[in-house]
Amino acid sequence: MTDAERRHGFEAGLAEYEWLEQVYSALGYEVIMLPKATVPERADFVLAALSDRGIDERLDVQKSRANGRFLRAP
């Protein structure tokens, strides 16, 4: 599938994904798949993953539940 938002077809996209996953893993990063879900659900997933790893305390952002946007903490 190609459209204005996609730079390449499915096979090329899959190959790029596999390459990036290998490179990031080799560099010591933990690769976590985002669920197929709505944007707010994905944001919640990312925040929960950061919290589980104790990373959320080091971030200078907070999530506004009112509108689902990320705002700089005061």
Side-chain angles (χ1 to χ4, degrees):
M1 174 189 297
T2 58
D3 54 32
E5 289 76 31
R6 292 174 179 84
R7 296 180 297 161
H8 36 57
F10 179 78
E11 293 298 324
L14 184 59
E16 183 173 350
Y17 160 76
E18 291 171 351
W19 178 77
L20 288 170
E21 183 180 32
Q22 290 175 359
V23 169
Y24 280 114
S25 294
L27 291 171
Y29 290 95
E30 180 182 4
V31 178
I32 301 172
M33 293 289 297
L34 284 175
K36 293 180 181 177
T38 66
V39 171
E41 290 169 334
R42 288 175 140 206
D44 287 340
F45 177 87
V46 169
L47 291 174
L50 293 173
S51 180
D52 289 348
R53 289 156 183 79
I55 297 171
D56 61 328
E57 296 171 4
R58 293 182 271 156
L59 296 177
D60 186 31
V61 297
Q62 66 184 23
K63 182 177 180 197
S64 168
R65 294 266 182 210
N67 61 15
R69 295 183 184 202
F70 292 90
L71 306 172
R72 290 247 172 245

